[in-house]
Amino acid sequence: MNLLKQPRAVLAVAFAAVISFMGLGLVDPILTSIAAQLDASAGQVSLLFTSYMAVTGVAMLITGFVSSRIGAKRTLLAGLVLIVAFSAVAGLMDSVGGIVAARAFWGLGNALFIATSLATIVQFASGGLKGAILLYESALGIGIGLGPIVGGQLGEISWRAPFFGVAVLMLVALVATGVFTPATPPPAEKTSIADPIKALRYPGLLVVAVTSLLYNFGFFTLMLAAPFPLDTTASNVGWIFFGWGLLLAVNSIWGAPWLESRIGTVAAIVVALVGFATLLAIMAIWTEHKAVIVVCVILAGAFLGINNTVITTLVMGSAPVPRPVASAAYSFVRFAGGSVGPYLAGKLLEHNLHAPFWMGAGATALAVVVLLAFRRFVPATSAPAHGSEDEALVLETADAD
């Protein structure tokens, strides 16, 4: 599948996805700057992640309800408008509480966007379901990779500049999505707010969601805690996490499909989680050694890239429900539950630099235990790679949205 030879609607939504996921890593290089300039503790700064993730997770329960009534395109645009508005508002705030509140509304916009962006890409992309997921994960990887470097460079000007930068870029994405994405009228069948909760009755989906929730504890521990022992400039933190994001993007696009094709879906996830947990444990032991933190942060991107892509494709076949419903249920558990991770990491940071990394390593190791203990409920493979079955999945996803 040629990622660039796609309809303009797909490229517009993919570009918006890149900017959306930039917002995740954008604040990483400026965490210490915000803490210093606004006289905030690590626990208070952690709420920038927690409010964003918690609202994103809970809002996943209403995204299907909204998109099934106003259509996918309008849902995408509503999400983008909120991101543009509240990323700019975050840059105008003079207190951590104000930024946290703006990040919460930013999370609402993010939920509306990401819940429908994958289904929109699947609907209009060429190359089948696997190709569409690969395109989406590529946008995710590139966005996460660019976020820290953009945040770091703009953060050298002011901690406010990265927020304004996202607002401008997202405004471009909003215009492109509005112009190039065809109208998508609401489907005949409406989605209930309760549908994602009901979908969690299927053990396969619940197991994958809980596994991802625990993994998110490790993921956001890395994002929140690593800048503090590094104790360096926003630009330097940005470059370090750019290396992390680069490996994440490369493995999302090429490494994950290669590994999954050779050892299988569940085994690929286990390899990624064990590798990530090991790196977190190393960081917990040698926290005072900046070179160790730098190397482990960058290497972690390789394992995160594998896990993100493989577990996303696994979700698509883990329950006999429309894929947007499965995605909303999965995202609700992993985001809402995982939002506790950065808050706990921030509170632990106030007492001990080693403790957050131990927490992240333990939670990620527990994710492996959960996945293997309940493996019988999880599909042996993700989604069909080709043929009429794959085409049926694409049509089902488009119809469901």
Side-chain angles (χ1 to χ4, degrees):
M1 175 186 181
N2 190 321
L3 298 184
L4 296 179
K5 290 185 177 179
Q6 294 291 333
R8 289 183 298 179
V10 172
L11 294 178
V13 174
F15 173 72
V18 169
I19 309 305
S20 173
F21 288 114
M22 273 179 57
L24 190 62
L26 189 86
V27 299
D28 222 43
I30 56 174
L31 287 176
T32 54
S33 298
I34 292 174
Q37 295 183 35
L38 298 182
D39 193 25
S41 67
Q44 290 173 314
V45 171
S46 73
L47 295 174
L48 270 70
F49 284 115
T50 297
S51 65
Y52 177 82
M53 298 302 298
V55 173
T56 295
V58 174
M60 285 294 175
L61 298 178
I62 66 166
T63 53
F65 177 88
V66 172
S67 65
S68 66
R69 283 158 178 78
I70 67 174
K73 180 177 179 177
R74 289 177 180 173
T75 305
L76 284 173
L77 295 178
L80 292 173
V81 166
L82 286 172
I83 296 172
V84 170
F86 286 99
S87 56
V89 168
L92 294 171
M93 293 293 103
D94 292 315
S95 67
V96 170
I99 303 173
V100 169
R103 287 279 286 178
F105 284 100
W106 188 342
L108 173 60
N110 195 52
L112 292 171
F113 174 76
I114 65 176
T116 46
S117 59
L118 176 56
T120 302
I121 288 175
V122 167
Q123 181 176 358
F124 294 111
S126 59
L129 181 62
K130 282 248 182 178
I133 290 174
L134 179 59
L135 177 60
Y136 180 78
E137 290 297 331
S138 300
L140 183 153
I142 293 169
I144 290 178
L146 288 177
I149 192 63
V150 172
Q153 296 307 306
L154 292 178
E156 288 294 298
I157 302 171
S158 164
W159 66 261
R160 301 177 189 274
F163 294 118
F164 294 134
V166 165
V168 172
L169 289 171
M170 219 29 143
L171 183 59
V172 174
L174 171 63
V175 173
T177 302
V179 171
F180 295 123
T181 304
T184 50
E189 186 176 346
K190 309 301 181 186
T191 299
S192 163
I193 293 178
D195 285 348
I197 298 295
K198 293 177 181 177
L200 292 172
R201 295 179 299 180
Y202 294 100
L205 180 59
L206 182 60
V207 169
V208 177
V210 171
T211 298
S212 191
L213 181 160
L214 292 167
Y215 151 74
N216 267 6
F217 266 66
F219 178 87
F220 283 102
T221 293
L222 180 79
M223 296 286 286
L224 175 73
F228 286 89
L230 286 171
D231 190 26
T232 185
T233 65
S235 178
N236 287 341
V237 174
W239 281 112
I240 292 165
F241 272 90
F242 174 70
W244 165 81
L246 188 62
L247 279 185
L248 188 150
V250 168
N251 268 15
S252 293
I253 299 169
W254 293 291
W258 178 86
L259 185 63
E260 184 182 12
S261 68
R262 279 154 180 78
I263 66 174
T265 301
V266 172
I269 295 172
V270 169
V271 166
L273 293 178
V274 169
F276 183 42
T278 301
L279 290 175
L280 286 170
I282 292 171
M283 295 168 77
I285 296 170
W286 289 288
T287 311
E288 289 88 358
H289 298 271
K290 292 184 180 182
V292 173
I293 301 296
V294 170
V295 171
C296 287
V297 165
I298 293 172
L299 290 179
F303 294 112
L304 301 183
I306 292 170
N307 188 70
N308 286 350
T309 295
V310 178
I311 208 165
T312 298
T313 55
L314 183 62
V315 169
M316 292 294 118
S318 59
V321 297
R323 274 143 186 86
V325 173
S327 179
Y330 161 75
S331 296
F332 163 66
V333 173
R334 69 172 177 141
F335 285 137
S339 67
V340 179
Y343 176 73
L344 292 178
K347 301 304 286 185
L348 290 172
L349 267 176
E350 295 176 0
H351 303 285
N352 187 291
L353 285 178
H354 301 260
F357 298 107
W358 282 123
M359 181 196 73
T364 306
L366 185 57
V368 177
V369 173
V370 169
L371 182 61
L372 293 180
F374 299 98
R375 182 174 181 172
R376 65 186 183 277
F377 297 115
V378 177
T381 57
S382 50
H386 59 275
S388 58
E389 248 186 309
D390 187 48
E391 292 168 7
L393 289 175
V394 173
L395 290 175
E396 180 184 339
T397 306
D399 291 342
D401 197 43

